[in-house]
Amino acid sequence: MESAHADFLINYNMSKVIIIGGGIIGLTSAYYLNKQGHQVTILEKGELLDNCSFGNAGMIVPSHFVPLAAPGMIQQGIRWMFNSKSPFYVKPSLNPELLTWGLKFMRKATRQHVAQSAQPLTDLSLLSKSLYQDLQNQPGFAFKVTNNGILAFYKTEKVGEEEAHLAEQGRKLGLDMAVLSAAECAALQPDLKLDVLGAVHYRCDAHLYPNQLIADLVTHLEAAGVKIQRNTEVTKIEAINGSISKVIAGNNAYNADEYIIAGGSWSPAIARMLNLKVSLLPGKGYSFMVEEKQNRMQIPALLCEARVAITPMNGSIRYGGTMEIDKLNDRINMNRVRGIVESVPKYFPDLHPQLPDTKDIWFGFRPSSPDGLPYIGRVAKFKNLVIATGHGMMGLSLGPATGKLVSEIVAGLKTTIPVDAFAPNRS
């Protein structure tokens, strides 16, 4: 085995790699780069415990092949803007970045864009799910993937028709999705009362406990020799002749052969240090945990009209939702959290989560591209730079696939799946 491992390493041009950002994309990129034998350093501005994936719903979602930029979202978004408890909100502003993002969003919110995006998103999601299945079986990893799907509940006939159409499109892409009656839904979780018309069972989906996953990755990476520099915010990036030469954080300079920008919602600010534009806006989401001793919920739920995600995890239920497009900020909008709380018993009469204290509310920023697709790839301006960001609400779901693709791009290999749709310089 030792000689086989050595042969494996010889096949690659080993490099020093610096990853800016220690969220799920940075950690999984480090994992696959380390497996190739590269010397990897992660520069993380925080403690690794406040990244966007740490508090999310833990859903792995091949079912989500429709990007945020889709027909109907503009009209729906305008209606939601007048409701402080609504699931989607864009704060009006004269911020040039918001105006640019909004114009691109409107241009991409077409049926053609949705059709063109479906296969690339599906391929990326299915690759990620497969890699999660492999990762959970590696030594030292305690997280587990639960493969009982997700139930997307609806209360209105209109949304039911939309979900049925989505399921039909999903099946054409090879995804296992089934339309269920209310009675069929109730039979799957008999200990929970339901007040719904029906659901689509995204059988192709899965879930995990993200806190355990992140802890496992960090422990593994540090044991494998990856250097993780916490509380290390990059403040300057220097380049010479189309190649990055060093990054500066505080009083320290770091140099490498290859550089990865995986800073989530902070990626545009990092890219600006190189006079690069990465069109992203932070979409703030909230979540909170409620202990569930009865273990009544076995299958995660999406409340379609309310846009709320509910996931059983670690003896509790995590409730999450909202997408609040605004500047990066530390404000907690309690009306948004109240909207999550009030929506739950409308679908699950037995579940009555209380409005949590602010100290018990987690929030994070989803790096949202205007066309709803992530950025994964090199940029023409710098030969040793890869950008991996913009995954919106699907960062955890798409993490391993993105990390593997990043490692292949760095190594100059043919990527496992095509990445043209995710090119950072796409229009």
Side-chain angles (χ1 to χ4, degrees):
M1 289 296 294
E2 291 180 358
S3 61
H5 181 64
D7 291 341
F8 170 77
L9 295 181
I10 289 170
N11 289 331
Y12 294 94
N13 179 21
M14 300 314 154
S15 303
K16 289 177 64 179
V17 183
I18 286 176
I19 299 173
I20 305 173
I24 187 65
I25 304 302
L27 294 175
T28 51
S29 296
Y31 175 81
Y32 290 102
L33 286 163
N34 176 261
K35 282 187 69 173
Q36 289 181 348
H38 300 290
Q39 182 182 334
V40 182
T41 299
I42 297 174
L43 305 180
E44 164 57 34
K45 67 178 184 59
E47 288 280 358
L48 289 177
L49 300 181
D50 57 353
N51 63 64
C52 195
S53 295
F54 198 80
N56 78 5
M59 294 178 174
I60 303 167
V61 285
S63 62
H64 285 40
F65 55 84
V66 176
L68 182 64
M73 274 302 296
I74 295 172
Q75 295 89 334
Q76 182 65 69
I78 292 171
R79 288 194 293 270
W80 276 334
M81 282 180 65
F82 297 98
N83 180 359
S84 62
K85 298 177 185 178
S86 68
F88 181 75
Y89 178 71
V90 179
K91 184 175 181 179
S93 170
L94 295 178
N95 175 10
E97 293 178 3
L98 174 60
L99 296 175
T100 300
W101 187 94
L103 288 172
K104 289 182 178 179
F105 181 91
M106 288 189 288
R107 192 171 72 246
K108 289 293 185 178
T110 66
R111 288 186 174 86
Q112 181 183 9
H113 173 63
V114 170
Q116 291 173 341
S117 302
Q119 193 66 60
L121 281 175
T122 300
D123 291 344
L124 192 61
S125 286
L126 290 176
L127 174 60
S128 220
K129 183 181 178 183
S130 174
L131 292 171
Y132 268 128
Q133 305 283 14
D134 292 340
L135 188 61
Q136 70 176 341
N137 296 320
Q138 299 305 309
F141 284 87
F143 84 95
K144 293 300 176 187
V145 176
T146 302
N147 291 291
N148 57 4
I150 294 171
L151 286 164
F153 293 102
Y154 49 84
K155 292 179 67 68
T156 63
E157 290 185 3
K158 179 178 183 296
V159 174
E161 291 173 0
E162 293 170 353
E163 282 295 308
H165 177 70
L166 180 75
E168 181 182 355
Q169 296 303 113
R171 287 191 291 270
K172 290 179 181 178
L173 291 165
L175 301 174
D176 189 358
M177 304 171 75
V179 179
L180 304 184
S181 67
E184 289 171 319
C185 294
L188 290 173
Q189 297 184 126
D191 295 329
L192 272 177
K193 288 183 181 178
L194 282 175
D195 184 4
V196 298
L197 284 182
V200 171
H201 193 182
Y202 301 157
R203 294 170 178 156
C204 53
D205 291 356
H207 73 281
L208 53 78
Y209 182 37
N211 305 56
Q212 183 67 57
L213 167 68
I214 299 297
D216 289 351
L217 276 169
V218 171
T219 299
H220 170 86
L221 290 174
E222 293 188 313
V226 173
K227 296 179 181 177
I228 301 179
Q229 302 292 118
R230 296 166 176 81
N231 299 308
T232 303
E233 184 172 2
V234 171
T235 53
K236 187 178 181 181
I237 305 177
E238 296 184 2
I240 302 173
N241 297 326
S243 182
I244 298 173
S245 57
K246 69 175 70 171
V247 298
I248 297 170
N251 296 322
N252 298 315
Y254 301 86
N255 57 66
D257 303 302
E258 296 277 354
Y259 298 81
I260 318 295
I261 293 179
S265 292
W266 287 263
S267 295
I270 299 167
R272 277 196 296 272
M273 298 178 196
L274 293 164
N275 292 319
L276 289 175
K277 290 184 178 180
V278 176
S279 187
L280 280 186
L281 285 178
K284 185 188 285 185
Y286 300 95
S287 74
F288 58 94
M289 299 277 279
V290 176
E291 189 175 344
E292 172 63 18
K293 292 181 178 178
Q294 302 105 308
N295 200 28
R296 292 171 293 178
M297 178 172 280
Q298 300 295 320
I299 303 173
L302 292 172
L303 313 184
C304 291
E305 292 88 353
R307 302 293 177 102
V308 166
I310 308 175
T311 311
M313 55 175 69
N314 201 38
S316 297
I317 293 178
R318 176 168 287 173
Y319 298 93
T322 83
M323 178 70 108
E324 184 179 332
I325 303 292
D326 194 2
K327 292 181 179 180
L328 294 167
N329 62 75
D330 294 331
R331 297 189 303 271
I332 293 179
N333 187 330
M334 290 303 292
N335 267 343
R336 298 249 166 257
V337 182
R338 189 173 287 108
I340 296 172
V341 169
E342 292 177 355
S343 70
V344 175
K346 295 176 183 177
Y347 296 76
F348 294 99
D350 286 344
L351 296 181
H352 291 274
Q354 300 301 305
L355 187 68
D357 293 334
T358 55
K359 65 180 177 60
D360 297 322
I361 298 171
W362 176 92
F363 65 87
F365 300 97
R366 292 82 161 251
S368 304
S369 69
D371 64 3
L373 300 178
Y375 299 115
I376 307 170
R378 292 196 182 275
V379 295
K381 191 174 180 182
F382 299 100
K383 61 185 179 183
N384 61 343
L385 174 65
V386 175
I387 292 179
T389 188
H391 296 72
M393 294 182 286
M394 296 191 292
L396 180 130
S397 182
L398 301 177
T402 301
K404 184 170 180 61
L405 293 172
V406 165
S407 72
E408 292 168 343
I409 292 167
V410 167
L413 300 174
K414 181 180 179 180
T415 53
T416 303
I417 62 171
V419 295
D420 292 350
F422 313 122
N425 61 348
R426 64 184 184 266
S427 59

